[in-house]
Amino acid sequence: SFPELFEKKNYELRIAGGAVRDLLSGMTPQDVDFATTATPAEMKEMFTSAGVRLINNKGEKHGTITARLHEQNFEITTLRIDVVTDGRHAEVEFTTDWEKDAERRDLTVNSMFLGLDGMLYDFFNGYEDLKNKKIRFVGKASARIQEDYLRILRYFRFYGRIAEKPDDHEPTTLEAIKENAKGLAGISGERIWVELKKILLGNHVNHLVRLLYELDVAQYIGLPLNGSLEELDRVTKNVQNLCPKPMTVLTSLFKVKDDVTNLDLRLKISKEEKNLGLFLVKHRQELTKAVGPEPLRPYQDFIMDSREANTNSKIMELLKYQGEEHLLKELQEWTVPSFPVSGHDLRKMGVSSGKEIGTALQQLREEWKKSGYHMDKEELLSCLKK
């Protein structure tokens, strides 16, 4: 196994960062990253001579080697110190000092190492903070943020993942965020969107988005200047436990479709995300359930009349947005019925001209829709005879 290779050469190897945090919280980590005192060159030599496959993924200048073993990728990074940082990326120099490596990480809960023997190396009280569900920067918040302004959003993301109460921040942290918010203007939209989506799916969403506004962050990450925070409160309650898409939650802030376009300009969201935002802004108010025995009908009619492929999934997001849990379940069980009459049937009945066939099909389709899509071929054709 590869730990033995390191041991043989007297290189130290420990699990690092997020995986340690997950293991200590009793969760299965998504990916396990390792840190080591061995340099990339030393690792390459050691792995190559042991016949372990290396995957070239350009991580090497930051000190990361990816080894492929038993159908799994292992990322192993040399301990390092950031020499120059410009708020976006760092130039690094390698070290064998574990504390120096922990010191340049963002949050205390992400700065721990776990020896393969189960020994925890925790230089900044990360375990204590994790147990108390506290999110703190390693060392001085402003210094950490200025190394990479994206850490502002990482702070909110982990807050929404770990903190128990919505308003349990250190005042100095919030001040540091406010003072450095405009640094986010220089961070690429793609990186921001990845973090923002995770914030939108975590806990305390409405509290955290309010903070984005209060701390002047919102304007630098493409959010509308006067986002509707009341609508956000309403929608975050509506979508609880309904697994909304991030865009569904975010659209509550938008008042007009330009808000969606501006977000897209700043964050380069996907076409599907943009279309969902535009769809919700357009239909969230008029497209609502019917009074009476068939509350789902307006949504079904909309789907049936639509010529687009993924209308179904957009309508599901709309129902989440509106908090219509029962209708959502009903719609998930509903299969789109197919219209039972074809032009061929009409020809057999002696309708010959294409134009007449078109008109007749249109009329029958209307009848079928009125019947709640229940009429079968016989019933529809007998309408035509009349």
PDB file of all heavy atoms in Angstrom, residues 86 174 201 251:
ATOM      1  N   ASP A  86      -1.798  37.107  -4.134  1.00  0.00           N
ATOM      2  CA  ASP A  86      -2.325  38.338  -4.735  1.00  0.00           C
ATOM      3  C   ASP A  86      -3.839  38.383  -4.596  1.00  0.00           C
ATOM      4  O   ASP A  86      -4.510  39.087  -5.334  1.00  0.00           O
ATOM      5  CB  ASP A  86      -1.931  38.426  -6.214  1.00  0.00           C
ATOM      6  CG  ASP A  86      -2.552  37.299  -7.030  1.00  0.00           C
ATOM      7  OD1 ASP A  86      -3.242  36.438  -6.436  1.00  0.00           O
ATOM      8  OD2 ASP A  86      -2.361  37.282  -8.258  1.00  0.00           O
ATOM      9  N   LEU A 174     -16.725  39.422  10.934  1.00  0.00           N
ATOM     10  CA  LEU A 174     -17.662  40.133  10.065  1.00  0.00           C
ATOM     11  C   LEU A 174     -17.067  41.465   9.603  1.00  0.00           C
ATOM     12  O   LEU A 174     -17.223  41.863   8.455  1.00  0.00           O
ATOM     13  CB  LEU A 174     -19.001  40.353  10.774  1.00  0.00           C
ATOM     14  CG  LEU A 174     -19.777  39.074  11.142  1.00  0.00           C
ATOM     15  CD1 LEU A 174     -21.141  39.417  11.717  1.00  0.00           C
ATOM     16  CD2 LEU A 174     -19.924  38.128   9.952  1.00  0.00           C
ATOM     17  N   LEU A 201     -27.680  25.888  -0.801  1.00  0.00           N
ATOM     18  CA  LEU A 201     -28.237  24.580  -0.454  1.00  0.00           C
ATOM     19  C   LEU A 201     -27.944  24.195   0.996  1.00  0.00           C
ATOM     20  O   LEU A 201     -28.354  23.131   1.445  1.00  0.00           O
ATOM     21  CB  LEU A 201     -27.704  23.500  -1.405  1.00  0.00           C
ATOM     22  CG  LEU A 201     -28.085  23.672  -2.885  1.00  0.00           C
ATOM     23  CD1 LEU A 201     -27.548  22.521  -3.714  1.00  0.00           C
ATOM     24  CD2 LEU A 201     -29.585  23.800  -3.078  1.00  0.00           C
ATOM     25  N   THR A 251     -33.518  32.775  -7.127  1.00  0.00           N
ATOM     26  CA  THR A 251     -34.455  33.583  -7.918  1.00  0.00           C
ATOM     27  C   THR A 251     -35.393  34.394  -7.026  1.00  0.00           C
ATOM     28  O   THR A 251     -35.924  35.421  -7.454  1.00  0.00           O
ATOM     29  CB  THR A 251     -35.253  32.683  -8.892  1.00  0.00           C
ATOM     30  OG1 THR A 251     -34.318  32.020  -9.744  1.00  0.00           O
ATOM     31  CG2 THR A 251     -36.194  33.490  -9.766  1.00  0.00           C
TER      32      THR A 251
END
